[in-house]
Amino acid sequence: MFFRVGGNVFLEKMTKKYKGIDLFCGIGGFRLAMEASDVDCVFSSDIDKFAQATYEANFNETPVGDIKKVKPEDIPEFDILTAGFPCQPFSYAGGKEGFKDETRGTLFFDICRILEYRKPPMVFLENVKGIVSHDGGNTLATIISTLEELGYYPHWTVLSSLDFGLPQKRERWYCVAFRENIIFEFPQPLGTHPVLREIVEIGDNSPELALSQLELERIDYHFAHCHECQRVRHDNSKYAPDTKKGKYGVFSFQKPDGSLRFHVGDRAKTQIQEAFYACLDTYAPTIIANRTPKLWDLRRRLSVLESKRLQGFPDEFIMPVSDCQALKQLGNSVSIPIIKSIMRKMIFAYEKYVVIK
């Protein structure tokens, strides 16, 4: 909204409809989703100093450090709690002593004590897909039952970023919870799968992005011999005979989508994947803190700019850290488009309930 004073026109800062907090905020993936959904972020927290620097560079505020040292009463009132919380193993205590004992010592407990004190109407959590099966399903059962004990109605699913506009097969667990028994449906896949060609700067031949000589040699070896057999066996004499690679050998094969996979040939271990090389016309594997996707056809790994795009961050997003730290931060982040989509659905469901009520 604009207003005029004398001969000058000014942009009035509008008050956002909701307030949110960003726990374990990293570099601000959830915050970008908040800003796209008319939510004012009133508190953020992350213990990593490098993530704090990136967050500050983009949002002009430094997140609070260790959440364990923050009292719930010191956090401003809010409507939405978001958290991509670290999944530390914790045991299932059989429901004998309540949620505090079941989750004590984990960072999930810090979410719980804030929810118990503030009782916000909406909660949005994210974690790795493995949380579903961790400890035989007991970890997830504890999380869900704890939210219910706190007065929430949780909804959860596993979704892939590949289904929401990003050329990355990144499957993550998402949970939305309300303090009312609200009807909620997660967003449906878009029905199209983008490819890396859409985000890659093909002309970027920066030397620091090049694959190692060993990697290049074995990629070339695969394509020189793949006409002889679909599954190419590589020289494993350089590996100690008592290691898996030395004992079972290393093999490569190309999938129909064009990606090139290397694996250790231990069939008893379902052929352990040793390396994954994407190409321009397929998707990337999940970008994680210690692994940047690589392309065999460009013979290099993705740059920081391309990795930002892989997670849905805008090109202008500032990363005032080393490339190594930037890639680590992006690997630890959430995928922006899917977070935006879920948050819009969450707020819409809440608003619809309030109107009907």
Side-chain angles (χ1 to χ4, degrees):
M1 180 179 294
F2 295 91
F3 65 95
R4 184 180 298 274
V5 177
N8 299 317
V9 176
F10 297 90
L11 175 65
E12 180 180 5
K13 183 177 180 181
M14 302 296 291
T15 301
K16 293 184 183 289
K17 193 168 185 178
Y18 298 100
K19 294 180 180 179
I21 66 171
D22 194 5
L23 304 183
F24 317 106
C25 63
I27 58 177
F30 270 108
R31 176 137 182 185
L32 288 176
M34 288 188 204
E35 293 184 346
S37 302
D38 202 24
V39 179
D40 183 20
C41 184
V42 296
F43 177 85
S44 58
S45 173
D46 200 284
I47 200 169
D48 186 279
K49 65 178 182 180
F50 297 106
Q52 288 178 336
T54 299
Y55 197 98
E56 196 279 332
N58 289 279
F59 303 108
N60 297 315
E61 64 181 66
T62 302
V64 173
D66 189 354
I67 191 63
K68 289 183 174 295
K69 298 179 181 178
V70 177
K71 297 178 180 179
E73 55 267 35
D74 292 335
I75 297 175
E77 290 189 3
F78 60 92
D79 308 291
I80 303 172
L81 180 147
T82 69
F85 64 101
C87 180
Q88 296 180 340
F90 54 87
S91 62
Y92 186 69
K96 294 182 179 179
E97 299 181 80
F99 79 90
K100 289 186 178 179
D101 283 324
E102 288 179 356
T103 61
R104 180 168 286 123
T106 72
L107 292 171
F108 179 67
F109 171 72
D110 294 288
I111 296 173
C112 296
R113 61 188 180 85
I114 293 170
L115 292 177
E116 183 182 32
Y117 183 85
R118 284 296 182 191
K119 298 178 173 57
M122 291 174 274
V123 180
F124 186 0
L125 307 177
E126 181 264 2
N127 213 293
V128 296
K129 175 186 176 181
I131 199 171
V132 175
S133 58
H134 182 264
D135 192 23
N138 289 329
T139 294
L140 180 58
T142 300
I143 289 172
I144 297 302
S145 64
T146 298
L147 289 172
E148 291 172 343
E149 288 178 40
L150 288 167
Y152 287 90
Y153 295 84
H155 309 258
W156 68 268
T157 191
V158 173
L159 296 173
S160 173
S161 302
L162 186 62
D163 293 320
F164 292 87
L166 297 177
Q168 176 190 186
K169 190 172 183 181
R170 185 186 190 89
E171 295 178 305
R172 288 293 184 268
W173 173 83
Y174 299 98
C175 179
V176 167
F178 303 94
R179 285 199 70 79
E180 305 287 347
N181 192 10
I182 293 174
I183 297 174
F184 175 78
E185 294 182 358
F186 282 95
Q188 294 299 308
L190 300 179
T192 58
H193 286 172
V195 295
L196 287 166
R197 188 181 296 276
E198 299 172 29
I199 69 163
V200 165
E201 297 289 320
I202 297 177
D204 187 350
N205 297 311
S206 303
E208 63 271 16
L209 299 178
L211 301 180
S212 69
Q213 189 60 37
L214 174 62
E215 290 178 290
L216 294 174
E217 287 175 358
R218 66 182 194 165
I219 288 172
D220 290 341
Y221 186 88
H222 170 86
F223 286 107
H225 294 85
C226 61
H227 63 282
E228 302 168 5
C229 55
Q230 184 179 11
R231 186 168 174 260
V232 177
R233 179 167 190 146
H234 293 254
D235 177 20
N236 65 325
S237 62
K238 59 182 171 297
Y239 304 114
D242 59 338
T243 63
K244 283 186 170 62
K245 292 181 183 180
K247 183 177 180 180
Y248 300 107
V250 175
F251 297 81
S252 62
F253 68 102
Q254 189 171 24
K255 296 196 72 175
D257 65 4
S259 61
L260 183 61
R261 315 290 184 101
F262 284 77
H263 62 265
V264 179
D266 181 3
R267 293 186 179 276
K269 299 293 185 180
T270 322
Q271 299 177 351
I272 304 165
Q273 182 165 290
E274 193 247 5
F276 179 120
Y277 297 92
C279 64
L280 287 170
D281 293 314
T282 188
Y283 58 84
T286 301
I287 179 173
I288 57 178
N290 60 352
R291 183 184 69 199
T292 307
K294 302 172 181 178
L295 287 76
W296 65 259
D297 50 354
L298 290 188
R299 303 169 76 81
R300 67 171 176 85
R301 57 183 175 82
L302 294 184
S303 66
V304 170
L305 173 62
E306 293 159 347
S307 297
K308 285 195 292 185
R309 294 171 180 172
L310 194 65
Q311 286 284 58
F313 283 82
D315 286 4
E316 60 272 18
F317 190 83
I318 303 167
M319 306 207 75
V321 292
S322 68
D323 284 0
C324 182
Q325 272 294 330
L327 293 168
K328 175 184 176 181
Q329 291 173 0
L330 290 165
N332 284 332
S333 183
V334 293
S335 296
I336 309 302
I338 198 167
I339 297 295
K340 285 183 178 179
S341 184
I342 295 172
M343 186 169 290
R344 283 194 295 265
K345 294 277 285 187
M346 177 182 71
I347 292 173
F348 176 79
Y350 175 74
E351 291 182 339
K352 184 178 179 181
Y353 174 85
V354 170
V355 170
I356 294 175
K357 185 179 179 181

